[in-house]
Amino acid sequence: MIEFEHVGKRFGERVVIEDLSLRIDDGEFFVLVGPSGSGKSTLLRTVNRLAHVDSGIVRVDGRDVSSVEREALRRGIGYAIQSVGLFPHRTVAENIATVPRLLAWSDADVRARVAELIDLLRLDEPGIADRYPHTLSGGQQQRVGVARALAARPRIVLMDEPFGALDPVTRESLQTRLKAIQRDTGTTILFVTHDMDEAFRLGDRVAVMLDGGLAQVGRPLDLLHRPVDDRVRDFVGGTHARLRELAVRTVGGSMRVGDRADGEPVDAADSLQDALASMLAQRRDRLPVRERGAIVGAIVLGDLVAREP
Amino acid sequence: MSETRTRGEALPILVLSTTALLAAAFLPMLHVAPNRLLAGVPTSPHTAWLFAAWGVAIVCGAVRFRGHGVVVASIAWLAVAGLPWLAGMSADTILDGAARTTRVQLASGFWVTWLAAALLLLDRLRGTRVVVQAGAWGAALAVVVALTVTGAFDGLALVREWQAQRAPFAQAVVVHVRLAAITLVLAVLTGGPLGWWVWRRRRADGIVVGLLAFLQTVPSLALFALLIGPFAWLARAWPTLGALGFGGTGAAPAVFALWLYALLPVVRYTVAGLGAVPEDARDAARGLGMSRLQVLWRVQLPLGWPVLLAGLRIVAVQTIGLAVVAALIGAGGLGRFVFLGIGQGAIDMVLLGTLGIIVLALTVDLAFQVVLALTERRA
């Protein structure tokens, strides 16, 4: 659990964060989204004290972070950043093992955990553990960065635009992997991004941060359907908002149960955006829906377009 | 493009060969003096041979036939290894039947020709594999050492001077190395932390570096002289210090002055080395829970090591050079030979001290390069 209580922060004259309060629950995937300069990265960095707050309190699991020894606090919190920041003089395995080593795990435990993470993040190219970071692709480097953040099984992980520099295909595959890992381990993740699609794809809850304050906090659909003001409306996408909504909703929730249709079926767990893409590709306005191998209904184009918010 | 390249390659051959040819033709190879203090009479044996060899090198540079580079390199190598041998033989011939005090000194023609040959060899070996370079220089060095051991140079005044001063010379080398080593250790122990502090507070950069840069502008002789007063006073005020050999002259003020000069490069290179570490790696290291000391030891030092070592190399060579002047305030070292030689007008003594310093500086430089190469390969 992470709590911000009336947090304020300024760099010289410039106010970066202004009287901000927020609570992130255990096991939640929480995304802070906002334009650059909105203060979201700074807010994230107050959690592991890479940035100190000028006023207010930041609590992790109920304890004021300023009362916890800095290094101990950080070793208990995972940390991944956009530029990855792998240590160029250390191998992939050594990079991943950074925090377990700092925590003085036994060699056997470290080895086992590194192998587990290499598997978990699909870094299964033979011999990759002994390679140096500069020999890896951007996607592989970021996988190592995420593995390093997760290495000591932290209950909380901070991620500052970790996928920002990756190509769309790699980014999506890593998003899917991260979401799955988060769901399996129940880790609390505080994730910063400026990419609204990424925010909606990953976040259980999303906070829109504008000019050092939280403009709106809520589930992705809340933000799309009920933006509190024009700034939030513009930021979540204006006329593109409906397109984003399709990405958040699943086929299962909008299908006509029992109906039939021709064509290549879509999966009930797919997003409506995937279904729309399938319709466009197949030049059909209705497609069969499959769930656990059986056809259970149909999804209809008119329903996607006419759907009431 | 290939034309400009070959023309660019030919230029050093032409310039250096012509220099060597002119030196062989117009400058004396040797001076023959009645004793070690009197001026000598110029003499140039073997001029025709040298003239011919450099003539061939010039033709090679001008015509550039296939394989001309190998011919030039061979001539250069033969000159580097063979000129001293030629000089030694000539000395023996001249001394045969001459008075016992007669001295045969190496003169300007020898030095210019030999330097031109060495530069030419350096130029020819550039771009070849390290094994070839090390082999060529190692072989030349081996030849000179072998000739020295077998007494081929015993007729030369320089070697006579060395034989007469063997014990003081060895002692001076030890003192010189000790002065430089103590200075280096002190400079690292103080300049390292200072550099770290300056790097952490970028705002201190201007003040500290400015102050140290100002110190560099004080002429070394003046600084040594200025320190005599304060150090003499210190020794008087605390007799225990005086009893330890602390005083206005001697090793203490010398090391102090050398340390002041060494500080600027040590601080500069420490700051550069720490700055050479990628910002994101440092941010990640801090964010993952490394303490400042752990970041320093595990991330910054391993990554900044090449820069730091390059700095130390420069400081070491600079200190060995500056330590010459320390002889003037009684700190000893190879500078003693230089200044005593100047005082007596014994040019061979000056030469002996100077050559010692050059060899020392080159050896230290080489040692640092080897360490750098070994540690870099690992990283």
Side-chain angles (χ1 to χ4, degrees):
Chain A
M1 192 168 63
I2 308 169
E3 292 160 289
F4 301 91
E5 248 177 56
H6 303 291
V7 167
K9 167 84 184 164
R10 53 175 63 221
F11 288 131
E13 286 296 292
R14 204 167 68 84
V15 176
V16 186
I17 301 168
E18 196 170 19
D19 191 28
L20 185 150
S21 296
L22 174 69
R23 190 186 136 129
I24 297 162
D25 290 319
D26 277 336
E28 196 174 16
F29 201 129
F30 193 95
V31 180
L32 271 174
V33 63
S36 37
S38 59
K40 55 193 193 303
S41 286
T42 308
L43 186 67
L44 173 128
R45 290 164 70 90
T46 63
V47 178
N48 63 0
R49 287 180 58 190
L50 282 171
H52 77 98
V53 297
D54 294 329
S55 57
I57 298 175
V58 180
R59 286 202 186 84
V60 168
D61 292 329
R63 285 207 294 171
D64 183 349
V65 292
S66 64
S67 70
V68 185
E69 200 239 332
R70 202 168 47 186
E71 276 72 37
L73 174 81
R74 289 173 182 164
R75 286 169 200 177
I77 298 176
Y79 183 59
I81 52 179
Q82 176 176 356
S83 50
V84 196
L86 295 181
F87 305 129
H89 59 303
R90 294 194 178 185
T91 63
V92 166
E94 287 165 351
N95 264 287
I96 294 176
T98 303
V99 184
R101 288 280 179 218
L102 288 172
L103 295 170
W105 285 18
S106 75
D107 283 350
D109 286 352
V110 171
R111 261 199 306 278
R113 181 60 177 156
V114 167
E116 189 183 354
L117 282 161
I118 282 179
D119 187 48
L120 196 63
L121 282 147
R122 307 282 142 86
L123 280 160
D124 34 18
E125 208 172 292
I128 200 166
D130 298 320
R131 278 164 59 183
Y132 285 89
H134 69 91
T135 67
L136 305 181
S137 70
Q140 287 174 322
Q141 287 187 15
Q142 196 49 272
R143 280 171 205 269
V144 176
V146 172
R148 186 174 64 175
L150 298 172
R153 298 193 184 86
R155 295 189 41 231
I156 294 174
V157 175
L158 307 175
M159 307 189 115
D160 192 351
E161 306 214 23
F163 310 141
L166 303 178
D167 65 87
V169 177
T170 310
R171 186 187 314 155
E172 211 174 307
S173 119
L174 261 166
Q175 285 166 345
T176 313
R177 204 81 273 281
L178 179 66
K179 185 76 182 169
I181 293 170
Q182 188 265 342
R183 216 177 275 140
D184 293 347
T185 56
T187 310
T188 310
I189 294 185
L190 175 54
F191 191 104
V192 161
T193 181
H194 63 259
D195 176 354
M196 192 56 74
D197 291 312
E198 182 168 69
F200 284 174
R201 192 171 298 138
L202 291 175
D204 296 325
R205 278 198 302 159
V206 174
V208 177
M209 195 157 173
L210 297 169
D211 300 329
L214 294 178
Q216 191 171 356
V217 182
R219 293 179 305 117
L221 283 179
D222 295 340
L223 297 179
L224 286 168
H225 293 161
R226 290 178 287 279
V228 288
D229 55 27
D230 289 344
R231 292 188 313 162
V232 175
R233 190 194 312 278
D234 284 349
F235 194 73
V236 298
T239 51
H240 281 66
R242 293 299 305 278
L243 213 50
R244 292 230 162 82
E245 184 183 339
L246 294 182
V248 177
R249 290 184 180 279
T250 60
V251 170
S254 301
M255 67 176 174
R256 299 184 180 181
V257 181
D259 270 23
R260 321 224 56 179
D262 295 327
E264 195 65 30
V266 294
D267 216 271
D270 285 351
S271 72
L272 287 179
Q273 210 171 49
D274 295 335
L276 181 61
S278 270
M279 288 179 192
L280 293 170
Q282 297 183 42
R283 297 177 189 284
R284 292 176 190 278
D285 57 7
R286 50 194 291 147
L287 291 174
V289 177
R290 183 175 48 195
E291 195 168 15
R292 290 191 207 89
I295 302 298
V296 291
I299 185 79
V300 180
L301 179 63
D303 292 352
L304 304 188
V305 177
R307 230 198 116 76
E308 283 305 308
Chain B
M1 184 197 143
S2 76
E3 200 199 336
T4 51
R5 237 186 88 197
T6 44
R7 193 181 300 157
E9 278 174 8
L11 194 64
I13 300 180
L14 289 174
V15 171
L16 290 168
S17 302
T18 309
T19 308
L21 182 107
L22 291 175
F26 298 112
L27 295 175
M29 288 304 259
L30 301 167
H31 278 155
V32 183
N35 64 45
R36 71 187 277 266
L37 300 180
L38 289 177
V41 181
T43 168
S44 294
H46 308 298
T47 307
W49 283 104
L50 295 170
F51 211 80
W54 294 117
V56 171
I58 293 174
V59 171
C60 284
V63 179
R64 300 203 299 280
F65 53 88
R66 238 179 101 83
H68 74 279
V70 179
V71 176
V72 174
S74 307
I75 292 173
W77 188 89
L78 280 174
V80 167
L83 271 175
W85 174 66
L86 222 52
M89 275 206 320
S90 306
D92 287 343
T93 317
I94 293 165
L95 288 175
D96 194 26
R100 263 181 52 86
T101 53
T102 306
R103 290 274 183 143
V104 181
Q105 300 158 334
L106 296 170
S108 53
F110 172 83
W111 295 114
V112 173
T113 317
W114 192 85
L115 202 65
L119 286 176
L120 194 56
L121 187 57
L122 203 65
D123 176 70
R124 287 291 93 199
L125 290 176
R126 207 179 44 192
T128 60
R129 277 176 303 145
V130 181
V131 187
V132 178
Q133 297 189 18
W137 288 110
L141 187 70
V143 168
V144 173
V145 168
L147 288 172
T148 312
V149 172
T150 54
F153 303 138
D154 284 358
L156 292 172
L158 188 66
V159 176
R160 290 236 175 139
E161 192 72 32
W162 175 68
Q163 278 167 346
Q165 312 254 17
R166 217 179 270 194
F169 184 80
Q171 207 215 337
V173 170
V174 171
V175 170
H176 206 98
V177 169
R178 198 196 292 146
L179 277 178
I182 294 174
T183 303
L184 210 61
V185 169
L186 279 182
V188 169
L189 288 181
T190 51
L194 185 61
W196 186 65
W197 183 78
V198 166
W199 171 79
R200 280 201 47 206
R201 322 185 163 260
R202 316 272 144 102
R203 241 176 301 172
D205 199 31
I207 304 163
V208 174
V209 172
L211 187 71
L212 293 175
F214 165 74
L215 279 175
Q216 296 271 316
T217 65
V218 179
S220 50
L221 202 53
L223 186 61
F224 283 123
L226 285 174
L227 287 174
I228 292 176
F231 271 78
W233 178 81
L234 276 177
R236 270 200 310 278
W238 284 284
T240 24
L241 281 180
L244 285 171
F246 214 77
T249 58
V255 167
F256 185 78
L258 293 174
W259 168 72
L260 283 182
Y261 284 122
L263 266 184
L264 177 72
V266 169
V267 168
R268 274 252 169 96
Y269 277 92
T270 306
V271 172
L274 293 173
V277 177
E279 186 87 33
D280 53 6
R282 230 173 37 237
D283 183 57
R286 299 285 292 140
L288 290 168
M290 286 193 198
S291 66
R292 281 195 199 290
L293 214 60
Q294 283 168 330
V295 175
L296 189 67
W297 277 113
R298 300 184 186 195
V299 182
Q300 290 181 293
L301 280 183
L303 288 175
W305 177 245
V307 180
L308 291 174
L309 209 61
L312 280 185
R313 180 180 151 201
I314 286 170
V315 174
V317 172
Q318 172 198 299
T319 304
I320 286 172
L322 274 174
V324 174
V325 189
L328 284 180
I329 54 166
L334 288 166
R336 249 188 88 233
F337 282 77
V338 176
F339 293 115
L340 272 180
I342 292 174
Q344 298 177 0
I347 202 67
D348 292 315
M349 202 170 172
V350 178
L351 215 54
L352 187 62
T354 311
L355 275 182
I357 292 154
I358 291 175
V359 170
L360 206 57
L362 287 177
T363 310
V364 167
D365 192 69
L366 192 71
F368 269 99
Q369 284 198 49
V370 168
V371 172
L372 189 64
L374 287 178
T375 50
E376 248 185 350
R377 191 173 303 167
R378 222 186 48 200

Coordinates of all heavy atoms in Angstrom, one line a residue, chain A residues 45 48 50 70-71 74-75 77 79 81 83-90 98-99 102 148, chain B residues 278 280-292 294 298-300 302-303 378-379:
Chain A
R45 N 9.1 9.1 -7.8 CA 10.5 9.0 -7.1 C 10.4 9.5 -5.7 O 11.4 9.2 -4.9 CB 11.4 9.9 -7.9 CG 11.8 9.4 -9.2 CD 12.5 10.4 -10.1 NE 13.8 10.8 -9.7 CZ 14.9 10.2 -10.0 NH1 14.9 9.2 -10.9 NH2 16.1 10.6 -9.6
N48 N 10.4 6.0 -3.3 CA 11.7 5.4 -2.8 C 12.7 6.5 -2.5 O 13.9 6.2 -2.4 CB 12.2 4.4 -3.8 CG 12.6 5.0 -5.2 OD1 12.5 6.2 -5.4 ND2 13.1 4.2 -6.1
L50 N 14.0 8.9 -4.0 CA 15.0 9.5 -4.9 C 14.7 11.0 -5.1 O 15.5 11.8 -5.5 CB 14.9 8.8 -6.3 CG 15.6 7.4 -6.4 CD1 15.3 6.7 -7.7 CD2 17.1 7.6 -6.2
R70 N 17.1 4.8 4.2 CA 16.9 5.0 2.7 C 17.2 3.7 1.9 O 16.5 3.3 1.1 CB 17.8 6.1 2.3 CG 17.4 6.8 1.0 CD 18.1 8.1 0.8 NE 19.5 7.9 1.0 CZ 20.4 8.9 1.1 NH1 20.1 10.1 0.9 NH2 21.7 8.6 1.3
E71 N 18.4 3.1 2.2 CA 18.8 2.0 1.4 C 17.9 0.8 1.6 O 17.5 0.1 0.7 CB 20.3 1.6 1.6 CG 21.3 2.4 0.8 CD 21.4 3.9 1.3 OE1 21.3 4.1 2.5 OE2 21.6 4.8 0.5
R74 N 14.7 1.3 -0.3 CA 14.8 1.1 -1.7 C 15.0 -0.4 -2.1 O 14.5 -0.9 -3.1 CB 16.0 1.9 -2.3 CG 15.7 3.4 -2.3 CD 17.0 4.1 -2.6 NE 16.7 5.6 -2.6 CZ 17.7 6.5 -2.5 NH1 19.0 6.1 -2.5 NH2 17.4 7.7 -2.5
R75 N 15.7 -1.1 -1.2 CA 15.9 -2.6 -1.5 C 14.6 -3.3 -1.5 O 14.5 -4.4 -2.0 CB 17.0 -3.2 -0.6 CG 18.4 -2.7 -0.9 CD 19.4 -3.1 0.1 NE 20.5 -2.2 -0.1 CZ 21.6 -2.2 0.7 NH1 21.6 -3.0 1.8 NH2 22.6 -1.4 0.5
I77 N 11.8 -2.1 -2.6 CA 10.9 -1.6 -3.6 C 11.6 -1.8 -5.0 O 12.7 -1.4 -5.2 CB 10.6 -0.1 -3.4 CG1 9.9 0.1 -2.1 CG2 9.8 0.4 -4.6 CD1 9.6 1.6 -1.8
Y79 N 12.4 -1.2 -8.9 CA 12.6 0.1 -9.6 C 13.1 -0.1 -11.1 O 14.1 -0.8 -11.3 CB 13.6 1.0 -8.9 CG 13.8 2.4 -9.4 CD1 12.7 3.3 -9.5 CD2 15.1 2.8 -9.8 CE1 12.9 4.5 -10.0 CE2 15.3 4.1 -10.3 CZ 14.2 5.0 -10.4 OH 14.4 6.2 -10.9
I81 N 13.3 1.9 -15.0 CA 13.2 3.2 -15.7 C 13.3 3.1 -17.2 O 13.7 2.1 -17.7 CB 14.3 4.2 -15.2 CG1 15.7 3.5 -15.3 CG2 14.0 4.6 -13.8 CD1 16.8 4.4 -14.9
S83 N 15.2 4.5 -19.5 CA 16.6 4.3 -20.1 C 17.2 3.0 -19.5 O 18.4 2.8 -19.8 CB 17.4 5.5 -19.7 OG 17.4 5.8 -18.4
V84 N 16.5 2.2 -18.8 CA 16.9 0.9 -18.3 C 18.0 1.0 -17.2 O 17.9 0.6 -16.1 CB 17.3 -0.1 -19.4 CG1 17.3 -1.5 -18.8 CG2 16.4 0.0 -20.6
G85 N 19.1 1.7 -17.6 CA 20.2 1.9 -16.7 C 20.9 0.6 -16.2 O 21.2 0.4 -15.1
L86 N 21.0 -0.3 -17.2 CA 21.8 -1.6 -16.8 C 23.2 -1.2 -16.6 O 23.7 -0.2 -17.2 CB 21.7 -2.6 -18.0 CG 20.3 -3.1 -18.2 CD1 20.3 -4.1 -19.4 CD2 19.7 -3.8 -17.0
F87 N 23.9 -2.0 -15.7 CA 25.3 -1.7 -15.5 C 26.1 -2.3 -16.6 O 26.2 -3.5 -16.8 CB 25.7 -2.3 -14.1 CG 24.9 -1.8 -13.0 CD1 24.3 -2.7 -12.1 CD2 24.6 -0.5 -12.8 CE1 23.4 -2.3 -11.1 CE2 23.8 0.0 -11.8 CZ 23.2 -0.9 -11.0
P88 N 26.8 -1.5 -17.4 CA 27.4 -2.0 -18.6 C 28.6 -2.9 -18.4 O 28.9 -3.7 -19.2 CB 28.0 -0.7 -19.3 CG 27.8 0.4 -18.4 CD 26.9 0.0 -17.3
H89 N 29.2 -2.9 -17.2 CA 30.3 -3.8 -16.9 C 29.9 -5.1 -16.2 O 30.7 -5.8 -15.8 CB 31.3 -3.0 -16.0 CG 30.7 -2.6 -14.7 ND1 29.6 -1.8 -14.6 CD2 31.1 -2.9 -13.4 CE1 29.4 -1.6 -13.3 NE2 30.2 -2.2 -12.6
R90 N 28.6 -5.3 -16.1 CA 28.1 -6.5 -15.5 C 27.3 -7.3 -16.5 O 26.5 -6.7 -17.3 CB 27.3 -6.2 -14.3 CG 28.1 -5.5 -13.2 CD 27.4 -5.6 -11.9 NE 28.1 -5.0 -10.8 CZ 27.7 -5.0 -9.6 NH1 26.5 -5.5 -9.3 NH2 28.4 -4.5 -8.6
T98 N 21.4 -7.9 -8.8 CA 21.8 -6.7 -8.0 C 21.2 -6.6 -6.6 O 22.0 -6.6 -5.6 CB 21.5 -5.4 -8.8 OG1 22.1 -5.4 -10.0 CG2 22.1 -4.2 -8.0
V99 N 19.9 -6.6 -6.5 CA 19.3 -6.4 -5.2 C 19.4 -7.7 -4.3 O 19.8 -7.5 -3.2 CB 17.8 -6.0 -5.3 CG1 17.2 -5.7 -3.9 CG2 17.7 -4.7 -6.2
L102 N 22.7 -7.3 -2.8 CA 22.7 -6.3 -1.8 C 22.1 -6.8 -0.5 O 22.5 -6.5 0.6 CB 22.0 -5.0 -2.2 CG 22.7 -4.2 -3.3 CD1 21.7 -3.1 -3.8 CD2 24.0 -3.6 -2.8
R148 N 15.4 -7.2 -13.2 CA 16.2 -6.7 -12.1 C 15.3 -6.1 -11.0 O 15.5 -6.2 -9.8 CB 17.2 -5.7 -12.6 CG 18.2 -5.2 -11.6 CD 19.2 -4.3 -12.2 NE 18.7 -3.1 -12.8 CZ 19.4 -2.1 -13.3 NH1 20.7 -2.2 -13.4 NH2 18.8 -1.0 -13.8
Chain B
P278 N 27.4 6.4 -17.0 CA 26.0 6.9 -17.5 C 25.1 7.2 -16.4 O 25.0 6.5 -15.4 CB 25.5 5.6 -18.2 CG 26.7 4.8 -18.5 CD 27.7 5.1 -17.5
D280 N 21.9 7.1 -16.2 CA 20.9 6.2 -15.9 C 21.3 5.0 -15.0 O 20.6 4.6 -14.2 CB 20.2 5.7 -17.2 CG 21.1 5.2 -18.2 OD1 22.3 5.1 -17.8 OD2 20.7 4.9 -19.3
A281 N 22.6 4.6 -15.3 CA 23.1 3.5 -14.5 C 23.2 3.9 -13.0 O 23.0 3.1 -12.1 CB 24.5 3.0 -15.0
R282 N 23.6 5.2 -12.8 CA 23.8 5.7 -11.4 C 22.4 5.8 -10.8 O 22.2 5.4 -9.6 CB 24.5 7.0 -11.5 CG 25.6 7.0 -10.5 CD 26.5 8.3 -10.6 NE 25.7 9.4 -10.9 CZ 25.9 10.2 -11.9 NH1 26.9 9.9 -12.8 NH2 25.2 11.3 -12.1
D283 N 21.4 6.3 -11.6 CA 20.1 6.4 -11.0 C 19.5 5.1 -10.6 O 18.9 4.9 -9.6 CB 19.2 7.1 -12.1 CG 17.8 7.4 -11.5 OD1 17.7 8.1 -10.5 OD2 16.8 6.9 -12.2
A284 N 19.7 4.1 -11.5 CA 19.2 2.7 -11.2 C 19.9 2.2 -10.0 O 19.3 1.6 -9.1 CB 19.5 1.8 -12.4
A285 N 21.2 2.4 -9.9 CA 22.0 1.9 -8.7 C 21.5 2.5 -7.4 O 21.2 1.8 -6.4 CB 23.5 2.2 -8.9
R286 N 21.2 3.8 -7.4 CA 20.6 4.4 -6.2 C 19.2 3.9 -6.0 O 18.9 3.6 -4.8 CB 20.6 6.0 -6.4 CG 21.9 6.6 -6.7 CD 22.8 6.7 -5.4 NE 22.2 7.6 -4.4 CZ 22.2 7.4 -3.1 NH1 22.7 6.3 -2.7 NH2 21.8 8.3 -2.3
G287 N 18.4 3.8 -7.0 CA 17.0 3.4 -6.9 C 16.9 2.0 -6.4 O 15.9 1.6 -5.7
L288 N 17.9 1.2 -6.7 CA 17.8 -0.2 -6.3 C 18.3 -0.4 -4.9 O 18.3 -1.5 -4.3 CB 18.6 -1.1 -7.3 CG 18.0 -1.3 -8.6 CD1 19.0 -1.9 -9.6 CD2 16.7 -2.1 -8.6
G289 N 18.9 0.6 -4.3 CA 19.2 0.6 -2.9 C 20.7 0.5 -2.6 O 21.1 0.0 -1.5
M290 N 21.6 0.9 -3.5 CA 23.0 0.9 -3.2 C 23.3 2.2 -2.4 O 22.8 3.3 -2.8 CB 23.8 0.9 -4.5 CG 23.9 -0.4 -5.2 SD 25.2 -0.4 -6.4 CE 24.7 -1.8 -7.4
S291 N 24.1 2.1 -1.4 CA 24.6 3.3 -0.7 C 25.5 4.1 -1.6 O 26.0 3.6 -2.6 CB 25.2 2.9 0.6 OG 26.4 2.3 0.3
R292 N 25.8 5.3 -1.2 CA 26.7 6.1 -2.0 C 28.1 5.4 -2.2 O 28.7 5.4 -3.3 CB 27.0 7.5 -1.4 CG 25.9 8.4 -1.6 CD 26.3 9.9 -1.3 NE 25.1 10.7 -1.1 CZ 24.3 11.0 -2.0 NH1 24.5 10.7 -3.3 NH2 23.2 11.8 -1.8
Q294 N 28.6 2.2 -2.1 CA 28.5 1.0 -3.0 C 28.4 1.5 -4.4 O 28.9 0.8 -5.3 CB 27.2 0.3 -2.6 CG 27.4 -0.6 -1.3 CD 26.1 -1.1 -0.8 OE1 25.1 -0.5 -0.9 NE2 26.2 -2.3 -0.1
R298 N 31.1 -0.1 -6.8 CA 30.6 -1.2 -7.7 C 30.2 -0.6 -9.1 O 30.1 -1.4 -10.0 CB 29.3 -1.8 -7.1 CG 29.6 -2.4 -5.7 CD 28.4 -3.2 -5.2 NE 28.7 -3.6 -3.9 CZ 27.9 -4.6 -3.3 NH1 26.9 -5.1 -3.9 NH2 28.2 -4.9 -2.1
V299 N 29.9 0.7 -9.2 CA 29.5 1.2 -10.5 C 30.5 2.3 -11.0 O 31.0 2.2 -12.1 CB 28.1 1.8 -10.4 CG1 27.7 2.3 -11.7 CG2 27.1 0.7 -9.9
Q300 N 30.7 3.3 -10.2 CA 31.5 4.4 -10.7 C 33.0 4.1 -10.9 O 33.5 4.5 -11.9 CB 31.3 5.6 -9.8 CG 29.9 6.2 -9.8 CD 29.8 7.4 -8.9 OE1 29.8 7.3 -7.7 NE2 29.6 8.6 -9.5
P302 N 34.6 1.1 -11.3 CA 34.8 0.2 -12.4 C 34.6 0.8 -13.8 O 35.3 0.6 -14.7 CB 33.8 -1.0 -12.2 CG 33.3 -0.9 -10.8 CD 33.6 0.5 -10.4
L303 N 33.6 1.7 -13.9 CA 33.3 2.3 -15.2 C 34.2 3.5 -15.5 O 34.5 3.8 -16.6 CB 31.8 2.7 -15.2 CG 30.8 1.6 -15.3 CD1 29.4 2.1 -15.3 CD2 31.0 0.8 -16.6
R378 N 39.4 -6.9 -19.6 CA 38.5 -7.6 -18.7 C 37.1 -7.0 -18.7 O 36.1 -7.7 -18.6 CB 39.1 -7.6 -17.3 CG 39.0 -9.0 -16.6 CD 39.4 -8.9 -15.2 NE 38.8 -7.7 -14.5 CZ 39.3 -7.2 -13.4 NH1 40.4 -7.7 -12.9 NH2 38.7 -6.2 -12.8
A379 N 37.1 -5.7 -18.8 CA 35.8 -5.0 -18.7 C 35.1 -4.9 -20.1 O 34.7 -5.8 -20.7 CB 36.0 -3.6 -18.2

